[in-house]
Amino acid sequence: MTDVSLAEFSQAGRFRRHWRHQAFGKPPVIAPIEDAAARQHRIKEACQHSQGKHWVTLREGPVQIPTVQLDQELLVYRVDNGRLLAALQEHFKSQPSSLKQLHRSESAGSTQDLLHALLLEKAGDQRGPILRELKRLKVQTEPLLVDSTGVVVNGNRRLSAMRQLQKEDPEGFHRFQKPLVAVLPDEISRSDVEYIETALQLAPETKLPYGWVDRRLKLRRQIDDLGLDPDWVQEAYRLDSRQQLDDELAELELVERYLSEICGTPCAYSGVAPCERLFQSLQRQLRLLPTNLANAWAAVGLLLISQRSELSPAFDRHFPFEVPVTEAMPEMVLQRLAHDPGLLAHPLHKPLRRRHIKRIADRIVHHHAPVELARTVETLIDEVRQQLRQDRVPHRLLHHLHASKRLLEKLTPDQLTDEERFHLLTEANTIRGRLDLLISEPQSTKQAKSAQRWWRVRRRLTNVMARLPQNKGTAN
């Protein structure tokens, strides 16, 4: 394939102009027979002269199906291809009815040209460079998988690459004129088709992984639109648990809320491509919060994601992207945020109620200065985190003292050397002096400072006195 051809489909937006030109200008490049019954009849006749068998795994188990060579006019790109869901929704974001029409006119030339351009771009992706491999090999190494009407279940990218290469160099790539396909039986169900596509696309080799948003769109479509059993979907995607499935669907809801409410660009999924870990981390923490707090912190987290370039590089290492210091932290930060005059018209100086939290979430989403608000939130999170860590010091001290006491109970005098006995005595005297200062009656600041100075003097004297017997023994 020439560099010009690669560039034609490698840049975002080129396929849109290409599709409009084909739809409203010249005849379509990809022109399959639109009548599904006519295609099915031709394919059925071809299968009577099968060239071999191909194993495919259905949910009930593996079965053998016939392989044949079919004319290009019998092969149709599948609109429901999992890798194209996000791109198609983004393309038709202002025309949702057109996306529905696309499904109804799957075999139309204009639809096929749009899918061809999108698939060709995917075929050139360096993470699964099937276009480069087919250009190098000049031969098809694996049959496409189609249903009885010629709709491609697996191999849409390969078909787009073969068509493009054969178009540019008909003689050099003449083998691609009639691709080898494996034909699924007539009675195959919609759920079987979804299962097959999912199972095959999870295999390694030159497969291009689904984008993380595409994957979640596919999951939701299979459950909500196609009515597939969630347990079936979990098995097909080899998910560890039902919780993982629920989390991925919740992450998609966060993405769509982010694009519509925060960015004002619904369906612009390409804008969140590099943010998978942020949405995963945010959802992981939201799942553990009460519903009213989760809604507010979803708004806070989405705000921080949108303004991430203006924040500290380590902003995602703390709540709401990591575990809070204590369970009280989420509500404490919101309480302080409610005091901010820039957020609420009348700063709140009383305990938060459900309606207050809802109002905070609404104001965050529609705030007139998101950069300043994001920086304020980051500062408040850090202040509360530092305060809670400081508040936890006495608890941590008691914990370590209990642990030290248990270790001391296991020791006997004969286990200690003279040097170890000396160091233990020094540290015990030091700790005793510091504890006397801590647990005494509260003192004024001046008295406290004097007591601390006296404690330091005592500590030095204790260290000096502890060494005297050793030095005297050494001199003798």
Side-chain angles (χ1 to χ4, degrees):
M1 190 173 185
T2 64
D3 293 339
V4 174
S5 298
L6 282 171
E8 180 181 359
F9 294 101
S10 62
Q11 299 179 19
R14 289 287 180 87
F15 68 85
R16 297 177 177 83
R17 294 192 292 275
H18 173 79
W19 177 70
R20 291 193 188 101
H21 179 66
Q22 296 296 346
F24 303 107
K26 297 183 295 185
V29 175
I30 309 300
I33 297 172
E34 293 194 27
D35 185 356
R39 295 196 310 269
Q40 188 174 34
H41 178 71
R42 291 261 307 269
I43 293 171
K44 191 171 185 178
E45 285 186 339
C47 287
Q48 293 176 2
H49 308 284
S50 171
Q51 299 178 4
K53 296 289 185 180
H54 179 73
W55 284 101
V56 63
T57 302
L58 303 180
R59 199 177 183 199
E60 295 76 18
V63 297
Q64 281 189 315
I65 56 177
T67 58
V68 293
Q69 285 185 303
L70 294 181
D71 292 325
Q72 290 281 358
E73 63 182 4
L74 298 176
L75 301 175
V76 177
Y77 295 128
R78 185 168 179 246
V79 172
D80 275 337
N81 186 291
R83 292 196 183 90
L84 303 184
L85 288 175
L88 288 173
Q89 290 200 28
E90 184 170 352
H91 179 69
F92 291 105
K93 61 186 176 184
S94 58
Q95 305 168 318
S97 60
S98 297
L99 182 56
K100 294 179 181 177
Q101 177 62 29
L102 203 70
H103 286 84
R104 292 193 290 267
S105 59
E106 186 171 54
S107 58
S110 58
T111 299
Q112 290 294 298
D113 273 1
L114 171 60
L115 298 178
H116 176 72
L118 287 168
L119 288 164
L120 192 58
E121 185 175 14
K122 299 287 185 183
D125 194 306
Q126 293 305 306
R127 293 172 296 168
I130 193 65
L131 179 62
R132 186 180 65 194
E133 284 299 296
L134 286 172
K135 184 178 181 181
R136 180 178 66 86
L137 296 172
K138 291 185 171 60
V139 66
Q140 183 183 355
T141 58
E142 181 184 358
L144 308 177
L145 185 64
V146 303
D147 68 9
S148 62
T149 65
V151 176
V152 180
V153 175
N154 185 56
N156 283 274
R157 278 191 315 135
R158 279 179 287 143
L159 178 58
S160 71
M162 287 191 286
R163 282 173 165 170
Q164 188 68 23
L165 292 170
Q166 203 271 331
K167 174 188 171 185
E168 292 186 349
D169 185 1
E171 186 176 344
F173 297 97
H174 65 278
R175 293 186 182 91
F176 296 160
Q177 180 60 38
K178 297 184 70 171
L180 181 68
V181 305
V183 183
L184 290 165
D186 295 350
E187 63 274 10
I188 199 79
S189 67
R190 185 66 176 269
S191 63
D192 279 329
V193 170
E194 293 291 334
Y195 184 88
I196 292 166
E197 183 195 6
T198 300
L200 289 173
Q201 295 305 331
L202 285 171
E205 304 168 6
T206 59
K207 304 295 185 190
L208 173 64
Y210 281 177
W212 71 277
V213 178
D214 287 311
R215 170 189 169 97
R216 286 153 179 78
L217 286 168
K218 183 76 172 176
L219 285 170
R220 187 174 66 187
R221 175 168 171 72
Q222 289 177 329
I223 294 172
D224 293 349
D225 298 347
L226 304 181
L228 300 183
D229 189 311
D231 292 334
W232 177 95
V233 175
Q234 178 187 332
E235 178 187 344
Y237 281 81
R238 305 173 196 174
L239 302 179
D240 293 336
S241 64
R242 177 63 184 273
Q243 185 62 59
Q244 185 181 349
L245 173 61
D246 293 341
D247 281 343
E248 292 201 19
L249 294 174
E251 288 158 17
L252 179 59
E253 290 182 10
L254 282 175
V255 166
E256 294 184 331
R257 180 177 175 183
Y258 171 78
L259 293 175
S260 60
E261 296 181 8
I262 303 294
C263 302
T265 55
C267 297
Y269 297 111
S270 57
V272 297
C275 303
E276 179 181 10
R277 188 183 61 79
L278 290 174
F279 283 95
Q280 286 179 327
S281 300
L282 178 59
Q283 170 55 29
R284 197 177 299 122
Q285 299 310 318
L286 295 178
R287 176 162 52 88
L288 304 176
L289 295 176
T291 304
N292 61 322
L293 291 180
N295 184 51
W297 275 105
V300 172
L302 297 180
L303 171 72
L304 296 177
I305 292 174
S306 70
Q307 304 302 325
R308 59 190 180 279
S309 61
E310 304 293 334
L311 304 177
S312 160
F315 83 97
D316 57 339
R317 297 179 191 171
H318 311 300
F319 187 78
F321 302 98
E322 294 294 341
V323 178
V325 176
T326 70
E327 292 182 359
M329 181 179 178
E331 190 164 354
M332 286 179 64
V333 175
L334 292 180
Q335 182 73 55
R336 292 197 183 187
L337 198 55
H339 295 170
D340 190 320
L343 186 64
L344 298 179
H346 304 287
L348 193 65
H349 297 285
K350 53 186 177 181
L352 286 176
R353 295 185 181 275
R354 190 178 295 270
R355 68 176 184 276
H356 301 142
I357 296 173
K358 185 178 184 302
R359 194 187 311 160
I360 290 172
D362 292 340
R363 294 295 175 85
I364 288 172
V365 170
H366 302 102
H367 201 271
H368 65 281
V371 176
E372 289 77 3
L373 180 58
R375 288 172 177 163
T376 298
V377 170
E378 183 183 31
T379 301
L380 289 177
I381 290 173
D382 187 61
E383 288 176 354
V384 171
R385 184 170 57 86
Q386 296 295 344
Q387 176 189 333
L388 289 172
R389 283 188 171 178
Q390 186 65 32
D391 291 345
R392 290 176 63 194
V393 169
H395 174 76
R396 291 163 56 196
L397 174 62
L398 284 171
H399 171 76
H400 289 305
L401 283 174
H402 283 304
S404 299
K405 187 182 76 170
R406 286 194 297 269
L407 288 174
L408 285 170
E409 289 170 350
K410 296 178 181 179
L411 286 175
T412 57
D414 58 303
Q415 291 178 283
L416 298 174
T417 64
D418 290 341
E419 184 178 0
E420 289 170 339
R421 190 175 288 105
F422 165 71
H423 286 303
L424 277 174
L425 178 61
T426 303
E427 290 300 325
N429 288 333
T430 303
I431 292 171
R432 187 181 301 113
R434 188 62 180 172
L435 284 174
D436 289 343
L437 176 63
L438 285 174
I439 62 179
S440 60
E441 291 295 325
Q443 303 171 355
S444 67
T445 303
K446 186 174 181 181
Q447 289 175 324
K449 288 182 178 178
S450 299
Q452 287 178 345
R453 282 196 296 270
W454 172 237
W455 171 77
R456 292 191 188 98
V457 170
R458 284 181 58 190
R459 180 177 181 180
R460 293 193 190 99
L461 286 172
T462 301
N463 290 341
V464 171
M465 295 300 293
R467 289 189 180 93
L468 286 177
Q470 268 196 341
N471 294 338
K472 185 176 180 182
T474 304
N476 291 335

